Amino acid sequence: MKKITSKQIFTSVLLIGIVALVALYFLKYKKDMEYVDLKKASNATLDMRVKALEQYHIDEPTYLAEMGPIKAEIDEYLEPYASNVTDLDLIMQAVAVQQVSPIEYTAIDLGSKNVMKAIGSDVVQNAAIEKYQEQITFVEQTCSLPNKITYDGLKTAVQSLFDSDYLIGIRSITYTKAGDQGELQGKIDLSYYYVTGTGKEYVKPVLPEYISGTENIFGVAKDEEEEE
């Protein structure tokens, strides 16, 4: 058996040490290179962000000039909407229709409220329009008016709905002939639209003075022939 000299042992240990150092170097080098690549990517992203912000700053006067008309358009768009539609609004609008047409209601079905669109307060506030700070919600209030009426009276009733100060959509008009005098029986299904969160104050409908004991609580006018 060949004897291993101390020189050979030293050489072997030295080689092992060198290999270990090279391995450690490349492991650290690889880790450092990965870190450098990560930093390069991060710096590239930040550089793009800085350039975008610089461009925003350059374009700021243009944006501010364009925002004025946009704010005016928002105000103009929201202006026709009431801030609320209550049961009283629905009833008094039905009364207003009755005052101009010979409609005879069999019921006034007040329906339900449905949220159509909600714009969160965070989005509203980010728009930086001082008068709008709360969540803006677009709401639909449904209503159904079963009734009896003539054909000409129906045209007048529909026209009065179109002329209303409320934003009203007619969802359906369904009638059948009733009797030999041209009378119709059916219903009109309506949708009232309003918007909350605009800061607009709700205005209650004006009720006529109520006289105790009257059979005409809503003050609907009758001609002399009807009263006879």
Side-chain angles (χ1 to χ4, degrees), residues 30-48:
K30 183 179 179 182
K31 185 177 181 180
D32 288 343
M33 288 304 297
E34 289 177 350
Y35 179 76
V36 169
D37 291 340
L38 182 63
K39 283 297 181 182
K40 285 182 178 180
S42 177
N43 290 337
T45 302
L46 291 174
D47 185 59
M48 292 177 61

Side-chain angles (χ1 to χ4, degrees), residues 117-138:
K117 177 68 176 179
I119 303 174
S121 58
D122 55 336
V123 176
V124 174
Q125 292 170 10
N126 286 336
I129 303 177
E130 185 176 352
K131 65 187 296 184
Y132 304 121
Q133 296 297 318
E134 302 176 7
Q135 174 174 296
I136 294 177
T137 306
F138 292 80

